[in-house]
Amino acid sequence: VEASIPEPQRAAWTKHEFSGFQNKEEFEREVVRHVETTLARSIYNCDESAAYSASSLAFRDRLVQGWNKTQQRQTFTDSKRIYYLSLEFLMGRALDNAMLNLGAKEVAKEGLAELGFRIEDIVGQEHDAALGNGGLGRLAACFLDSMATLNYPAWGYGLRYRYGIFKQEIIDGYQVEVPDYWLDFNPWEFPRHDVTVDIQFYGQVRKSQDENGKTVAIWEGGETVTAVAYDVPTPGYDTPSTNNLRLWSSKAASGEFDFQKFNSGDYESSVADQQRAETISAVLYPNDNLDRGKELRIKQQYFWVAASLYDIVRRFKKSKRSWNEFPDQVAIQLNDTHPTLAIVELQRILIDVEGLEWDEAWNIVTSTFGYTNHTVLPEALEKWPVGLIQHLLPRHLQIIYDINLFFLQSVEKRFPEDRDILRRVSIIEESQPKMVRMAYLAVVGSHKVNGVAELHSDLIQTTIFKDFVTIFGEDKFTNVTNGITPRRWLHQANPRLSELIASKTGGYEFLKDLTLLNKLELFVDDKTFRKEWAEIKFANKVRLAKYIKSTLNVNVNPAALFDVQVKRIHEYKRQQLNIFGVIHRYLTLKAMSPEERKKQQPRVSIFGGKAAPGYWMAKQIIHLINNVGGVVNQDPDIGDLLKVIFLEDYNVSKAEMIIPASDLSEHISTAGTEASGTSNMKFVLNGGLIIGTCDGANIEITREIGQENIFLFGTLSEDVEDLRHMHTYGEHPIDPNLAKVFDAIQGGMFGEPNDFNAMISAVRDHGDYYLVSDDFQSYIDTHKMVDTEYQNQEEWISKCIRSVARMGFFSSDRCINEYAEGIWNIEPLAV
Ligand code: RUG
């Protein structure tokens, strides 16, 4: 149905257009109006939570204006759009971000003050939107910010989980998971009850003839679940562009609520159908870098990609263009293999619904998709049992088999001598049971495949996708090193540092062109500048120290060196190496005379991060950290020389407080395991130095900032395999200092020793897969260097300033421009 307002009536509409608020009075008026009307509260009943709600609604009104215009502009210009498919968007808080991106934070601050509130308290009321596990989901959120800021016509597509990543509580040193119900009040989404798609599961496929006598596949029967769209406006910085993030929520299809059953008194089972449908979008799987192969997970994946593709195809069809123009109008980026079924679904739509021939359809499909790989860890590479897909998506399995057949035929033709290659590259793994290799399907169905840092992109080409490089050629494979948005990770998280930088680089332009940071090099030797820089870092540390006191009741000295490792807990990220190093430090301090101790650099070791609920070893690591803290923090011999802190429930908003307060942060994965890492970039951008291995983006950070400004240690990725081989087949003596640490743990210094047997024997008896012992000595030596260098504060600060000045490369704006040019072939839209 044509729903647009006829031309003669449009003037009446435009005359009433809401013009936003330009000053604090107008902002106040909007807040008061929302408190009194939308929230139905009054001056006598307005707490911080109501003030937060009303402020958000006031800003939302402004966002919506830009959003409507952006959508209209995209439609009228009929420009090519990029669709970013990600099962995770770790957005964090929206109000602060909206205020800054719209350039109205000052207005809001003054307005709220007049109304009797402190802006920090109001912003702090917001519940994080935590629809992600870690780096992968936060990257997607940074990309949305950059795509809007750079005026690219872009849409994000994801799932609207009722429960985001669980809330972590620490009880008696153990992680306990609590559900995160975040939707109580969410002013940042718009339900679109009129935008729904029915998604089919199960059923069977039969062959039939169409009117031209052509054989066609008919997929019928099974069950239907409805996808409902929820739209989240995502504003760019200093631009009217506001893009859309569309999240799908599942509900029972209208026919599914079985009135027959209901009327016959079987109320329970009719409600059960409804609940089963809603389960699809109920919860985010809390695993990072791990594939668990659960049926509900693949249901989520198909539900989300099928709804998104229906939407994308519907929008394309409105333009009445021919199908071969599809890739000129549509680019779809697959964030990891999670959306790989989109490749199969588009092929199905083109051949089964639109009647295209296989080859023509397949050309369109492969020209449309790009695939980003984020890991080489074998346990994270998705595989699905053939039988499961057969049952759930019978037509898709047929198409996967056909894709594989045609692909293998072409390989066989080109490499007739190499019989083994077919087994190696087949999308179907001939195992028991047979499995669909999603990464291979993603490679075969995309025109570009990228890794997320140089080392990682090299590794995927020489290991997991080696044969595919031979088959498709090198040009199909590329690198786009990750980046972060400086708006959230500098301006929002560290406003005073952002202001200081602005005062030296000619205003806030650097937030749009991060390479302008290089102007800071001119001020490295400027004493006053260095002093201001140091004061800001100290203030950020004081704030964190207060938070530690208020949550853990531990006093930490803000003058001590703050050494931070915050990220998901994972053996490959090696928090165990860090805590073993901390224990070694403790033992060393204990063995010193009081005089010697006085000469040591005081430290606070800060940890934070969630363990996947089923990841037992990761939970043991958290337990050990807490137990070590329990002993060290009480020890009168040690005092301020060492404190060990585990911050509960690490998330985006906590990161915004922790990162600006770090002097040193740890990025110490076993070489070759961390694809990129992005918190390494955030820490350096906030004036902290890093200790790290030659892994992921650490390598490029070193190249940009200079190796004199980073503390690198440990095995190189090219040596890892040989070492592992030696551990398995040769001698593997444990590093003597590490052995002392193990003795202390097993002697009961940190509680029941048996609790930590598995952690120790992974290193001592089971091959030390993550090379903790091999890297231990160089790790503690490097920490000694850190201590020495930290004593010379003037030089330390100079290093920090120089590093920040050289971080321009790591903006997600650079990254998005590289995707746009090299993969999506898409231009920004003039505003
Ligand atoms: O572990 C990687 C990080 O190294 C990387 O920085 C981030 C964004 O590219 O993605 C993380 N990742 C990888 N999260 N999940 C996976 C595998 O599915």
Side-chain angles (χ1 to χ4, degrees), residues 554-571:
V554 177
N555 289 310
V556 300
N557 179 1
L561 187 163
F562 280 20
D563 170 0
V564 184
Q565 187 176 20
V566 282
K567 48 184 87 225
R568 287 298 288 248
I569 311 292
H570 211 297
E571 285 163 283

Side-chain angles (χ1 to χ4, degrees), residues 135-136 139 288-289 336 338 374-375 380 452 482 572-573 674-678:
L136 176 133
L139 184 76
D288 180 90
N289 268 294
D336 213 318
H338 316 147
H374 295 266
T375 189
V452 289
N482 282 167
Y572 88 80
K573 294 179 188 280
E674 187 72 275
S676 161
T678 41

Side-chain angles (χ1 to χ4, degrees), residues 531-718:
K531 191 158 164 272
E532 284 178 86
W533 186 281
E535 273 168 17
I536 292 169
K537 177 61 76 181
F538 191 74
N540 291 334
K541 290 169 72 178
V542 168
R543 182 168 69 147
L544 180 57
K546 282 189 184 149
Y547 178 79
I548 291 171
K549 174 71 186 168
S550 72
T551 51
L552 296 168
N553 198 24
V554 177
N555 289 310
V556 300
N557 179 1
L561 187 163
F562 280 20
D563 170 0
V564 184
Q565 187 176 20
V566 282
K567 48 184 87 225
R568 287 298 288 248
I569 311 292
H570 211 297
E571 285 163 283
Y572 88 80
K573 294 179 188 280
R574 296 204 296 190
Q575 285 90 353
Q576 72 278 39
L577 174 62
N578 187 344
I579 193 62
F580 293 154
V582 169
I583 295 173
H584 172 265
R585 177 175 289 266
Y586 177 63
L587 299 177
T588 314
L589 287 169
K590 286 293 272 185
M592 284 177 181
S593 69
E595 275 61 47
E596 262 181 298
R597 277 189 206 135
K598 281 199 192 110
K599 294 183 217 142
Q600 304 307 309
Q601 172 59 48
R603 283 216 183 204
V604 183
S605 273
I606 299 167
F607 294 81
K610 295 175 185 177
Y615 192 171
W616 187 76
M617 188 74 97
K619 290 180 148 180
Q620 292 304 309
I621 295 174
I622 293 177
H623 185 202
L624 180 60
I625 296 168
N626 281 308
N627 281 13
V628 172
V631 172
V632 173
N633 299 346
Q634 317 267 341
D635 189 331
D637 291 347
I638 299 300
D640 274 356
L641 282 180
L642 182 61
K643 291 277 186 263
V644 181
I645 302 296
F646 189 92
L647 293 171
E648 198 175 66
D649 199 40
Y650 178 62
N651 61 14
V652 173
S653 53
K654 297 217 172 94
E656 289 167 21
M657 168 181 61
I658 297 164
I659 292 171
S662 110
D663 294 304
L664 181 79
S665 63
E666 310 237 357
H667 308 277
I668 57 175
S669 48
T670 311
T673 61
E674 187 72 275
S676 161
T678 41
S679 75
N680 41 8
M681 303 166 190
K682 295 167 195 166
F683 278 101
V684 180
L685 189 62
N686 279 279
L689 299 187
I690 67 185
I691 179 166
T693 43
C694 293
D695 200 21
N698 290 353
I699 296 172
E700 285 147 272
I701 293 177
T702 308
R703 189 170 66 208
E704 293 293 313
I705 69 176
Q707 59 181 12
E708 65 287 4
N709 298 315
I710 186 167
F711 298 96
L712 290 178
F713 73 96
T715 308
L716 301 179
S717 72
E718 55 262 40

Side-chain angles (χ1 to χ4, degrees), residues 89-232:
F89 288 94
L90 197 43
M91 303 294 281
R93 289 178 176 156
L95 175 59
D96 204 9
N97 188 247
M99 294 192 300
L100 286 168
N101 276 13
L102 294 175
K105 187 158 181 183
E106 271 311 301
V107 164
K109 186 175 173 182
E110 291 167 16
L112 282 167
E114 279 196 1
L115 295 173
F117 295 99
R118 276 171 17 117
I119 194 166
E120 298 79 9
D121 300 334
I122 299 310
V123 164
Q125 290 291 313
E126 186 171 348
H127 197 112
D128 276 33
L131 307 185
N133 275 288
L136 176 133
R138 183 54 232 178
L139 184 76
C142 284
F143 281 5
L144 290 181
D145 183 83
S146 284
M147 290 190 286
T149 300
L150 297 168
N151 304 312
Y152 284 107
W155 283 59
Y157 276 104
L159 271 187
R160 178 182 178 269
Y161 304 105
R162 198 149 18 104
Y163 297 93
I165 186 72
F166 62 87
K167 186 172 168 342
Q168 177 193 55
E169 287 182 6
I170 301 295
I171 298 177
D172 296 334
Y174 291 94
Q175 167 175 299
V176 173
E177 299 93 28
V178 179
D180 164 61
Y181 183 77
W182 67 291
L183 289 170
D184 254 352
F185 174 76
N186 179 10
W188 304 104
E189 63 174 13
F190 289 88
R192 299 288 194 197
H193 294 294
D194 54 332
V195 182
T196 60
V197 188
D198 281 348
I199 309 296
Q200 188 182 352
F201 291 104
Y202 309 107
Q204 50 283 320
V205 183
R206 70 178 164 82
K207 291 228 153 74
S208 172
Q209 310 265 305
D210 69 5
E211 60 271 25
N212 306 318
K214 190 176 138 192
T215 308
V216 287
I218 313 276
W219 176 24
E220 57 195 8
E223 72 176 41
T224 307
V225 178
T226 299
V228 185
Y230 284 73
D231 287 345
V232 183

Side-chain angles (χ1 to χ4, degrees), residues 45-63:
N45 178 21
C46 181
D47 54 9
E48 285 176 349
S49 152
Y52 158 72
S53 303
S55 306
S56 300
L57 292 165
F59 270 94
R60 184 181 81 167
D61 290 344
R62 278 197 55 185
L63 280 193

